[in-house]
Amino acid sequence: MMLSTWSCMLFAWMPTYFALQAAAPPSKDIRAADILRIMGFRFSGLLAAITLPLFLVAILFSGPLLLAWYHQTLLRRVTNTPVAIRNLIAAPITEELCFRSGLISFLLASHVSPSRALWLSPLPFALSHVHHVVDLIVHQGWHPADATARCLFQAVYTTIFGWLAAFFLLRTGHYAALVVTHSFCNYMGFPDFGAVANHPRSKELIVAFLGGILGFIVLLKPLTSPSLYGFPSTESSGYVIFFK
């Protein structure tokens, strides 16, 4: 999977290039710098793109972060094993370029509306995880029903994350925002809601979980305002300005 994704990285720019070339006037040349900027490789607003979306996702994970702090497992998750390197570094870099930056820029260049691009773009990313059902059944001995349920759950979870990542890209116009938030979510994993009920500090955890969700909802649009990332304040979607 990772090898094929690295290979896709080499060609992720091509669909956007050909879509822009087809739509551009004959007198306009599409430069490499244009493609890179459209795919989210920009210096303007870069610091904000690295910090603010990550801060938003950390707020959303307030409950899981507090739970990990109580269990003293927050820092123990950082290792240099091949699996950790894949999940925290390689996967965010490759998958966000292929399934988000490359795909969304192509959709917008093909005159797909930003809202439709947001809803459609996570589907290939979710489907790319479905093949894990074969590994669970053949190599790990899972029952087919359990393996299917596990992969469907993962597909739903990755779709939800895909919508959030697409929103970040459309609002900030930065590939870096996708990489840092993807890495953080892989680091945290899916929240362990079941551990809250019987925890000796369950009330504090419930407040953290609910407060994190509420804080994320309240701050989502203000902290992804395109004006913070080098776009005119009148733009509802910073990314779309590249296609005007």
Side-chain angles (χ1 to χ4, degrees), residues 141-188:
W142 282 49
H143 188 278
D146 294 335
T148 301
R150 165 74 177 272
C151 289
L152 286 176
F153 173 79
Q154 188 176 29
V156 171
Y157 182 58
T158 53
T159 297
I160 294 172
F161 171 78
W163 285 327
L164 177 61
F167 181 84
F168 281 153
L169 180 60
L170 290 169
R171 294 279 286 178
T172 70
H174 273 283
Y175 165 73
L178 313 181
V179 174
V180 294
T181 53
H182 189 151
S183 180
F184 178 83
C185 288
N186 280 359
Y187 177 76
M188 293 301 300

Side-chain angles (χ1 to χ4, degrees), residues 13 24-25 38 49 53-54 61 91 99 102 110 113 117-118 141 156 176 194-195 197 201 206 210 220 225 240:
W13 59 273
I38 287 169
L54 180 60
F61 277 79
F99 294 107
S110 302
S113 69
L118 186 151
V156 171
R201 296 185 172 181
I206 291 173
L210 296 179
L220 179 58
S225 172
V240 178

Side-chain angles (χ1 to χ4, degrees), residues 7 15 39 48 96-97 105 111 113 134 151 157 194 206 219 227 230 243:
S7 301
M39 293 182 70
E96 292 306 322
L97 183 60
S105 61
H111 305 290
S113 69
V134 177
C151 289
Y157 182 58
I206 291 173
L219 294 173
S227 62
F243 298 90

Side-chain angles (χ1 to χ4, degrees), residues 37-168:
R37 188 175 71 256
I38 287 169
M39 293 182 70
F41 294 90
R42 303 189 299 120
F43 287 109
S44 178
L46 179 59
L47 180 60
I50 293 173
T51 56
L52 295 181
L54 180 60
F55 176 65
L56 276 169
V57 176
I59 290 175
L60 180 62
F61 277 79
S62 294
L65 283 169
L66 184 60
L67 182 62
W69 179 263
Y70 286 158
H71 289 171
Q72 298 182 344
T73 59
L74 188 58
L75 298 180
R76 293 179 186 177
R77 305 181 187 193
V78 180
T79 66
N80 60 356
T81 64
V83 173
I85 293 172
R86 180 196 67 191
N87 291 341
L88 302 181
I89 300 175
I93 291 174
T94 58
E95 292 175 356
E96 292 306 322
L97 183 60
C98 295
F99 294 107
R100 215 87 56 206
S101 172
L103 179 57
I104 291 179
S105 61
F106 166 71
L107 290 174
L108 294 180
S110 302
H111 305 290
V112 175
S113 69
S115 59
R116 185 168 294 181
L118 186 151
W119 292 111
L120 290 177
S121 61
L123 299 182
F125 181 57
L127 291 174
S128 72
H129 290 77
V130 174
H131 75 283
H132 293 164
V133 68
V134 177
D135 177 67
L136 292 175
I137 296 172
V138 175
H139 300 294
Q140 300 187 39
W142 282 49
H143 188 278
D146 294 335
T148 301
R150 165 74 177 272
C151 289
L152 286 176
F153 173 79
Q154 188 176 29
V156 171
Y157 182 58
T158 53
T159 297
I160 294 172
F161 171 78
W163 285 327
L164 177 61
F167 181 84
F168 281 153

Side-chain angles (χ1 to χ4, degrees), residues 42 44 170-174 226-235 237-239 241-242:
R42 303 189 299 120
S44 178
L170 290 169
R171 294 279 286 178
T172 70
H174 273 283
S227 62
L228 297 174
Y229 305 92
F231 293 111
S233 59
T234 56
E235 292 294 327
S237 174
Y239 198 68
I241 196 173
F242 292 135

